[in-house]
Every structure is written in C-alpha cells, then in structure tokens.
Amino acid sequence: MLIKVIGSEGSCDSCETTMENLKIAVAEMGLDAQIEKITDLVEIVKLGIMTAPAILIDDLVLFPGQVPSVKQIKKTLAKLV
Amino acid sequence: MWQFIQNQILGMKWLKDLVYRICEQLFGTTASGVGAYVAFFIYDMIKIFTLLCVLVYVISFIQSYFPPDRTKRLLGPLGGLKGRIAAALLGTLTPFCSCSSIPIFMGFVSAELPLGMCFSFLISSPMVDLGSLVLLTSVFGPSIAILYVILGLVIAVAGGSIIQTLQMEDQVADFIKLTDQQKSLRTLKMDLSDRLVYAWTQLAATISRVWVYILLGVAIGALIHNQVPAALVVKLLGKDSPFAVVLAALLGIPMYADIFGTIPVAEALLAKGAMTGVLLSFMMAVTTLSLPSVIMLSKVVKRKLLAVFIAICTLGILCTGYLFNFLQPLLYSL
C-alpha cells in the first residue's frame, strides 16, 4: 500500500505531525505500507487536492485540512484494510 | 435586547467588572500603574480566547459541511454575476487564513471555473467570515458589523467582476492550466462524531497558530489603553486627520495577523477616540493582504494579475475606511 502525506511548504508543522502520527499508526497496526511525502505545490495541484495537510491512499483523501491523531488514523485505516 | 447581547454576552461586561474588582483589591487601583495593565490584560485575554474557542468550534462544524470539493461542485454550474456572488458568499465559510485559501483558489482555477469567480472567492475568504461578524459586533455594535460584512462581499464581487472583464486568463501560472483534468478524488462520508472531532481539531490548530498574535495584540492594546494619551490618538486617527485611513491601510497590508489579534488594538484605540473607518480599514488590511499571502500568490499568478489583485483590495480597503468615517455619526446613532 502506498500512502501519501500532502503538506504545503510554508506551514509544514502540521504535516510533520501528520506524518509522525501516520508512521506510528502504521507501525502499531503492522501494515505493510510505504509512506511518501508530497510538499511541492505543483504536485499537490496536479493531484487535485485543495486542503493541506491530507493523507492520500489511491484516490481516497483522508483527513483533509486536519492533523489526525494516531487513534483517528488507526480507526480509519482499520476500516479500509 | 441587542444592547444586552452586545454588552454582556459578546462584550462580557460582567467579566470586566469582575476582573477589575479583583484587581482593585490586589493592586489598590485599576486607574493607573500595574493594576491597570493587569486588569486590561486578564480581561481581554479571557474575552478573546472565549470568543475564539466558541466561534472557531461552531464555524468549523458548519465548515465540515462545505469542504472545498463540495464548494467547487456547487460553483461549477454557475457563472456570471450570480456565480461571483455565490463564490463570495461561500468564501465566508472557509478557513481563517489567506494562506489556506490560496490552494483552494488554485483548485478552482484548475477546474476551469471562471477567473472572476475564483477571485471573488479569494478576496472574500480572508476578508469576511462569520467570526469577523461576531467579533466586530462585540466591539462596534451590530449595524457596523453587518455593514462591514456587506461591504466586504461587495468588494469581492466587484473585484471578481473587474478581473473577469479584463480577461486575464493568460495571467495564471502555466502549471495550473497544464494539470490534466482532475481525476475525481473520493473522500469518506463524515458522521456527526467525525464533524465534532473535525471542529475540535480545527480549534486546536487555530489556537496553536494564532495565540502569539493574540498575546501580542492584547499587549499592544494594554499599552495603548494605559499609556497613549487620547489627545494623540484623536490627532492622528481622529476626524481631523484626513489621511489616517491611508496610513492605517498601508500599515496593515504587509502585516500578517489574525482578526482576533487586531481586536484588542482596535478596541483600545476606539476608546481613545479613533475613527471607526480608520480602525476597520486597518483590520481589513491586516486580514486580507499580508506579505506571506502575497508571496504565495505570486507563485500562482503572473505579475500583472497580482498587481490588479493588490490594487483592487487596497482600493476596497480605502473605500471602506472613508465610507465608515463618513457614516460614523449616523451609524452610532442607530
């Protein structure tokens, strides 16, 4: 599974936190996932995403504009896999 | 009834009485010296943070029903003046910072919404929101707050119309237009508990972003409240100072702050006799245009369009200032 974390360059505190929480959640769930970070504005627009931070799995946007907690991420990922 | 809401609920007069009474006991007096600072600081901090928490929570909850994708779909079939009015109105429901409205703006442009509509959205988004309506009511009263919001929407619609008329489609950065037409992305449905969690996380994120500005704003407000003589404020920002609006706008435009941070400064200056229009144009300038947001926008639109955008906002801010100054005697007698 490829999980992308979307964050804009300027205010990336929030996407750092999202990234960390996601890593913890994935590790705790023992998922086999590759995590990639996208901060390039052009890339983000190309993906069609309008709110950062966000988590993208295939064509599914999770937590747009939010910094989800480890618990929230685990709950949502559990529904998906 | 309105008076009660404005004074006791939004203005929290009861809290002021309480804080000042306690500080009087502790410091002997709140008319001058340390007591005056502490009392102003504590009262204003509690008031602003309470309003901030309630407002951001409620607005974020409403916002969860209007994510950018939905806004884009709602605006899609519209066009012309009607489309620009809708875009300006939906702009009032978006996040509080102009930095977060720029990616949404880019999404609209790449979805090939008319440029005028995109700009109506971009102007109204930081300039007016439900929060500013409530906050301005607490300081200036309902008639001024409502007129401010209406004027903000008029500027947004007019600005969008001007940009539409100028046909500046070629002034958008090429990479936005080159993006292959949006594959449509999916999102998960939110239930009520998701929305409440969303509102909560938005509140936490907003507080962590703006508390510094509020602290700074209240500190400046306390300083003005206790140190700056009213005569000086009247001289610089009062009715006999014809260029005060221009000065306020020029000072406010490059600044990046939040409307919550400007409230205590405006409040303190108002009490010392500054004109309403001067304060409103300052607040509008601070929230609408800022150096970080202009730099961000400059990556997205070309120089000519950026200049037109800044000119429209500046002109709108100046008009607002002078109009409120002109109407001041009338508005306060309502």
Side-chain angles (χ1 to χ4, degrees):
Chain A
M1 183 162 56
L2 177 64
I3 306 176
K4 292 173 181 166
V5 175
I6 317 289
S8 59
E9 294 155 74
S11 55
C12 220
D13 282 359
S14 49
C15 74
E16 285 302 333
T17 318
T18 306
M19 189 79 182
E20 275 160 35
N21 291 351
L22 177 66
K23 276 182 183 159
I24 296 171
V26 166
E28 284 181 9
M29 292 174 77
L31 291 177
D32 177 28
Q34 195 189 336
I35 300 172
E36 190 180 290
K37 194 165 142 190
I38 299 177
T39 52
D40 182 36
L41 210 56
V42 181
E43 200 61 37
I44 295 172
V45 178
K46 273 189 186 161
L47 287 168
I49 287 188
M50 292 189 275
T51 31
I55 294 175
L56 186 69
I57 303 176
D58 297 327
D59 65 340
L60 183 65
V61 188
L62 301 174
F63 310 109
Q66 298 171 69
V67 180
S69 64
V70 177
K71 208 172 119 194
Q72 277 175 281
I73 299 176
K74 279 167 80 174
K75 196 179 136 198
T76 308
L77 285 182
K79 275 191 246 169
L80 294 175
V81 289
Chain B
M1 183 60 194
W2 254 119
Q3 211 61 38
F4 178 79
I5 292 177
Q6 190 190 333
N7 287 337
Q8 299 296 346
I9 298 182
L10 298 175
M12 297 187 209
K13 276 266 161 28
W14 57 270
L15 177 71
K16 187 176 188 174
D17 295 341
L18 185 72
V19 169
Y20 274 77
R21 205 163 299 159
I22 293 172
C23 288
E24 223 154 79
Q25 293 294 320
L26 289 175
F27 299 101
T29 173
T30 53
S32 62
V34 188
Y37 277 100
V38 174
F40 183 94
F41 199 81
I42 292 177
Y43 159 66
D44 241 42
M45 284 302 275
I46 298 178
K47 186 178 89 170
I48 304 252
F49 271 100
T50 310
L51 284 173
L52 173 81
C53 291
V54 175
L55 280 175
V56 175
Y57 192 79
V58 171
I59 294 168
S60 300
F61 182 76
I62 299 172
Q63 232 177 57
S64 74
Y65 287 91
F66 293 92
D69 293 289
R70 176 154 186 234
T71 309
K72 193 171 82 182
R73 281 198 303 276
L74 286 173
L75 292 175
L78 299 172
L81 187 64
K82 208 198 281 173
R84 293 192 284 276
I85 293 172
L89 285 172
L90 284 168
T92 63
L93 286 174
T94 46
F96 301 88
C97 163
S98 52
C99 298
S100 54
S101 53
I102 290 175
I104 303 178
F105 164 80
M106 289 163 64
F108 288 177
V109 176
S110 73
E112 294 183 332
L113 289 183
L115 201 56
M117 276 168 71
C118 299
F119 269 93
S120 289
F121 175 88
L122 187 66
I123 296 170
S124 109
S125 175
M127 194 181 264
V128 269
D129 56 53
L130 294 171
S132 56
L133 181 66
V134 176
L135 283 173
L136 291 173
T137 305
S138 84
V139 180
F140 299 102
S143 49
I144 287 177
I146 292 169
L147 189 59
Y148 175 91
V149 169
I150 293 173
L151 271 177
L153 291 172
V154 169
I155 294 170
V157 173
S161 302
I162 293 170
I163 287 169
Q164 189 71 48
T165 318
L166 292 174
Q167 295 185 327
M168 300 181 91
E169 278 73 11
D170 62 321
Q171 286 287 311
V172 175
D174 299 318
F175 73 84
I176 299 185
K177 284 176 291 182
L178 291 177
T179 56
D180 33 338
Q181 234 345 275
Q182 323 264 316
K183 334 154 206 134
S184 59
L185 296 168
R186 290 183 299 131
T187 46
L188 291 180
K189 271 223 161 60
M190 289 175 111
D191 59 25
L192 183 68
S193 76
D194 290 332
R195 290 184 201 284
L196 293 175
V197 171
Y198 173 78
W200 183 250
T201 53
Q202 290 305 98
L203 174 59
T206 308
I207 288 182
S208 72
R209 200 184 68 229
V210 304
W211 69 270
V212 185
Y213 300 105
I214 297 177
L215 209 67
L216 212 64
V218 175
I220 297 172
L223 203 66
I224 295 170
H225 181 74
N226 297 313
Q227 287 295 328
V228 179
L232 182 71
V233 174
V234 171
K235 195 176 161 217
L236 289 176
L237 307 173
K239 61 177 182 296
D240 296 326
S241 172
F243 295 111
V245 170
V246 180
L247 200 72
L250 290 181
L251 195 69
I253 283 173
M255 272 170 66
Y256 173 76
D258 189 90
I259 186 151
F260 290 99
T262 60
I263 287 280
V265 180
E267 234 175 350
L269 287 171
L270 184 72
K272 299 264 170 168
M275 291 287 281
T276 310
V278 178
L279 298 177
L280 287 177
S281 61
F282 176 70
M283 293 168 79
M284 208 179 225
V286 168
T287 50
T288 307
L289 289 171
S290 69
L291 215 50
S293 73
V294 168
I295 290 172
M296 203 165 161
L297 191 62
S298 70
K299 293 181 189 159
V300 180
V301 301
K302 291 176 191 165
R303 212 170 289 162
K304 209 165 109 192
L305 183 52
L306 187 67
V308 172
F309 169 74
I310 295 174
I312 288 171
C313 291
T314 309
L315 209 66
I317 291 163
L318 293 177
C319 290
T320 304
Y322 281 109
L323 189 72
F324 272 105
N325 274 356
F326 179 71
L327 292 176
Q328 176 152 349
L330 191 79
L331 284 167
Y332 281 102
S333 64
L334 279 182

